[in-house]
Amino acid sequence: MKSISERVVGYGEALKIWDNHKYIGVGPGNYTLASYNLDPSHNGTTYQPVHNIFLLFIVENGIVGFAFFCFILATFFIYYMSILNKKKVFFCFILAIIFLILGFFDHYLISSYVGLMIFSLYLAVIGRLSTE
């Protein structure tokens, strides 16, 4: 119950930060600072990023960063789908589904070093599938 209530509070906090910084965001890695600025009365160990990488990404990078990311993602998606065979497309789709599921329940894939390494490994595997 405590975990669920903390996540619900985190989502509400993320939406408040989003309301204050819609267009350019708070900056990559600055979510906890924005959380502190929103409510400085808590203990320092209680400030955590929201447990959803998609919401965390858009709050940190804003509409401009999200649009730029979507443009890059669409460019790579169109390119890779044109050169991959159906078996490789299916495998990439499975990897993307796993990443999406993980992304909805925790923030470590973009907020910690180990998570960034796992994310890089995912991208490397998908990139390797595109080469013959």
Side-chain angles (χ1 to χ4, degrees), residues 90-100 121-122 125-126 129:
F90 178 73
F91 188 67
C92 289
F93 180 72
I94 295 298
L95 286 176
I97 293 296
I98 292 169
F99 180 75
L100 289 173
L121 180 65
Y122 263 83
V125 168
I126 290 172
L129 288 175

Side-chain angles (χ1 to χ4, degrees), residues 108-121:
Y108 72 91
L109 288 172
I110 64 169
S111 64
S112 71
Y113 177 75
V114 173
L116 288 172
M117 293 299 108
I118 293 170
F119 182 60
S120 298
L121 180 65

Side-chain angles (χ1 to χ4, degrees), residues 36 73 86:
Y36 171 77
L73 191 66
K86 292 195 184 291

Side-chain angles (χ1 to χ4, degrees), residues 1-129:
M1 291 303 284
K2 182 180 179 184
S3 174
I4 292 172
S5 67
E6 286 178 354
R7 287 174 191 253
V8 169
V9 169
Y11 287 127
E13 180 180 82
L15 294 175
K16 287 178 188 173
I17 294 171
W18 165 253
D19 284 339
N20 295 333
H21 305 279
K22 283 183 183 165
Y23 300 107
I24 59 170
V26 295
N30 289 326
Y31 180 87
T32 52
L33 178 61
S35 176
Y36 171 77
N37 290 336
L38 188 65
D39 186 11
S41 65
H42 295 290
N43 184 5
T45 59
T46 61
Y47 297 107
Q48 295 185 39
V50 64
H51 289 279
N52 182 323
I53 62 170
F54 310 109
L55 187 57
L56 179 62
F57 183 83
I58 200 163
V59 168
E60 285 186 344
N61 297 298
I63 293 172
V64 174
F66 182 70
F68 183 67
F69 176 74
C70 287
F71 173 74
I72 291 172
L73 191 66
T75 303
F76 281 115
F77 181 75
I78 291 168
Y79 172 72
Y80 280 129
M81 293 305 124
S82 67
I83 63 172
L84 293 177
N85 63 29
K86 292 195 184 291
K87 185 177 180 181
K88 290 181 180 182
V89 168
F90 178 73
F91 188 67
C92 289
F93 180 72
I94 295 298
L95 286 176
I97 293 296
I98 292 169
F99 180 75
L100 289 173
I101 291 170
L102 285 173
F104 280 115
F105 297 108
D106 213 341
H107 59 83
Y108 72 91
L109 288 172
I110 64 169
S111 64
S112 71
Y113 177 75
V114 173
L116 288 172
M117 293 299 108
I118 293 170
F119 182 60
S120 298
L121 180 65
Y122 263 83
L123 293 179
V125 168
I126 290 172
R128 177 65 179 109
L129 288 175

